C-alpha cells in the first residue's frame, strides 16, 4: 500500500533491499517482485529485530517494522492488518507498507500434537511479529504460551526465565531459523535450527539441524535421541555385566582365556551390532 498509489514501485524498492537478506520474510518480498524490476543496493545494513537499510539510486532507503520507523522519527497510524507489516521509508519520508500474510506449515498442528505426545509439557512461541499476528497463530495452533513483538534480547530474556522455571530432569529446547534466533539457540539447553531456510548464524549456533525444515521431524529427532540413549545404556550395562561375571568366575577358578576373549572382543562386537539398531530405527521413523 503506497502513499502515492504506486504499489509496484514500492514493492520494487522493498525487494531491492530485501534481496540482500536471507530472512524468510525478505525472501517472500523478493519472490513477489520480478528480477528485472529490482535495482542494485549499496551500503546494505541489516538491523536484527528491526529491518534493513541501504542506498538505492542515491537515496537512503529503510524497510522494516514499526519499531524501525519510530527509531527514524516516523509516526504511524494503527495497523489493521493481521499479517506481518513491512514499512518502507526513503530519506526518513514514509512511503507505505507491504503486508505479508502469515500461514503455518500444513503439518504444524500435527507436529505440535506429536511433541505433546512425546512428553513436551509446554509449547512457547517467541516471535518478533506483531501482537495480532502472534495471537492469531498461537490460537490456531494451540500454543500454550506466546509472546510477540520481541527483539533478540527479549527472546533471550524469555529463555532465561524458562530455564529458571525448568524442573529437575527437564530441558528447554528452542527451534529457530533466523539471525535473530542465534543467541537463543545458543542459550537454550538444546538449540534446533531449520537448515534449509535457516541463516548461517542460526545453523552455527544450533545443536541440531533439520535439513528438510519439516516441523514433524522435531518429534522424530526426539524419538531417535531417546532410542540412541537407550541403546548406549544397554551397551554399557551389558559390557560391565559380562566383564564382572567373567572376573567372578576367574576368582573361583572357573574362568579361562576364551571367556576373557569373549568378555573383551565379543562384547565389543555385540555392542557394535546393537548400536546398528539405532540406524535401522532412524530409517524406520
Amino acid at each position: 500500500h503506497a502513499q502515492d498509489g504506486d504499489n509496484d514501485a514500492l514493492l520494487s524498492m522493498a525487494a531491492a533491499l530485501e534481496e540482500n537478506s536471507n530472512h524468510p520474510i525478505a525472501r517472500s518480498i523478493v519472490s513477489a517482485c520480478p528480477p528485472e524490476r529490482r535495482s542494485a543496493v549499496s551500503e546494505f545494513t541489516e538491523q536484527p529485530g528491526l529491518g534493513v537499510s541501504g542506498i538505492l539510486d542515491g537515496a537512503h532507503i529503510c524497510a522494516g517494522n514499526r519499531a524501525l520507523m519510530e527509531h527514524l522519527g516516523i509516526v504511524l497510524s494503527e495497523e489493521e492488518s493481521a499479517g506481518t507489516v513491512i514499512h518502507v521509508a526513503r530519506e526518513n519520508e514514509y512511503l507505505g507498507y507491504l503486508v505479508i500474510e502469515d500461514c503455518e506449515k500444513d503439518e504444524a498442528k500435527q507436529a505440535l500434537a506429536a511433541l505433546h505426545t512425546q512428553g513436551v509439557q509446554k509449547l512457547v512461541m517467541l516471535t518478533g511479529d506483531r501482537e495480532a499476528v502472534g495471537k492469531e497463530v498461537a490460537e490456531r495452533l494451540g500454543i500454550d504460551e506466546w509472546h510477540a513483538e520481541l527483539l533478540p534480547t527479549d527472546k533471550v530474556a524469555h529463555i532465561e526465565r524458562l530455564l529458571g522455571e525448568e524442573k529437575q530432569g527437564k530441558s528447554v529446547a528452542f527451534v529457530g531459523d533466523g539471525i535473530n534466533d542465534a543467541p537463543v539457540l545458543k542459550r537454550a539447553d538444546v538449540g534446533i535450527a531449520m537448515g534449509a531456510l535457516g541463516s548461517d548464524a542460526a545453523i552455527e549456533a544450533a545443536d541440531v539441524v533439520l535439513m528438510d525444515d519439516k516441523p514433524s521431524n522435531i518429534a522424530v529427532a526426539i524419538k531417535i535421541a531417546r532410542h540412541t540413549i537407550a541403546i548406549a545404556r544397554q551397551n554399557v550395562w551389558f559390557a560391565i555385566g559380562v566383564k564382572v561375571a567373567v572376573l567372578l568366575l576367574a576368582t573361583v577358578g572357573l574362568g579361562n582365556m576364551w571367556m576373557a576373549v569373549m568378555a573383551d572382543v565379543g562384547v565389543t562386537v555385540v555392542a557394535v551390532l546393537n548400536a546398528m539398531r539405532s540406524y535401522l530405527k532412524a530409517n524406520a521413523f
Side-chain angles (χ1 to χ4, degrees):
H1 180 78
Q3 295 286 86
D4 59 3
D6 192 349
N7 292 334
D8 289 340
L10 183 69
L11 175 60
S12 298
M13 193 177 301
L17 268 178
E18 301 289 5
E19 191 172 16
N20 297 278
S21 173
N22 60 2
H23 193 282
I25 291 177
R27 294 181 182 181
S28 297
I29 295 174
V30 172
S31 65
C33 180
E36 61 272 12
R37 285 172 45 194
R38 300 178 219 148
S39 302
V41 172
S42 61
E43 299 182 27
F44 173 79
T45 304
E46 187 162 8
Q47 298 173 269
L50 295 175
V52 295
S53 62
I55 304 298
L56 179 64
D57 297 331
H60 185 260
I61 309 293
C62 294
N65 57 20
R66 174 180 287 267
L68 177 62
M69 295 298 111
E70 291 175 352
H71 177 71
L72 297 174
I74 298 173
V75 179
L76 302 175
S77 58
E78 288 299 318
E79 299 157 0
E80 298 180 359
S81 172
T84 299
V85 179
I86 303 299
H87 301 280
V88 182
R90 179 175 55 203
E91 298 293 348
N92 291 0
E93 177 188 354
Y94 187 62
L95 299 180
Y97 63 88
L98 292 81
V99 179
I100 301 170
E101 183 180 0
D102 291 89
C103 57
E104 63 274 7
K105 291 179 180 288
D106 295 335
E107 60 176 19
K109 197 164 188 176
Q110 292 78 5
L112 297 182
L115 288 174
H116 275 305
T117 303
Q118 287 292 321
V120 175
Q121 295 179 349
K122 181 191 281 188
L123 292 170
V124 182
M125 181 176 73
L126 305 178
T127 177
D129 285 333
R130 295 185 304 109
E131 197 83 10
V133 177
K135 180 179 180 181
E136 182 179 337
V137 173
E139 290 178 349
R140 208 156 54 214
L141 296 180
I143 304 285
D144 301 314
E145 179 183 330
W146 59 274
H147 303 276
E149 299 184 9
L150 302 179
L151 294 174
T153 52
D154 299 325
K155 291 183 180 182
V156 173
H158 278 288
I159 282 293
E160 293 285 1
R161 174 181 59 81
L162 292 170
L163 288 169
E165 294 174 358
E166 72 180 37
K167 298 177 182 178
Q168 187 174 4
K170 302 296 181 182
S171 300
V172 175
F174 181 82
V175 184
D177 60 7
I179 294 176
N180 300 349
D181 297 323
V184 198
L185 288 165
K186 199 71 175 177
R187 184 63 187 90
D189 292 322
V190 180
I192 304 174
M194 296 295 189
L197 290 176
S199 67
D200 292 341
I203 293 172
E204 285 290 333
D207 303 296
V208 179
V209 180
L210 303 180
M211 297 311 298
D212 54 8
D213 288 346
K214 291 183 179 178
S216 58
N217 279 341
I218 300 172
V220 172
I222 293 174
K223 286 183 182 179
I224 293 173
R226 287 175 175 169
H227 184 71
T228 302
I229 290 296
I231 287 178
R233 287 173 176 164
Q234 290 169 12
N235 286 343
V236 169
W237 287 114
F238 174 72
I240 292 175
V242 171
K243 290 179 184 295
V244 169
V246 171
L247 284 173
L248 291 176
L249 289 172
T251 57
V252 296
L254 297 177
N256 55 44
M257 182 60 69
W258 286 111
M259 286 187 180
V261 171
M262 287 303 299
D264 186 18
V265 179
V267 165
T268 300
V269 172
V270 173
V272 170
L273 292 175
N274 189 39
M276 290 177 64
R277 293 194 306 115
S278 179
Y279 172 76
L280 297 174
K281 192 72 173 180
N283 287 337
F285 288 145

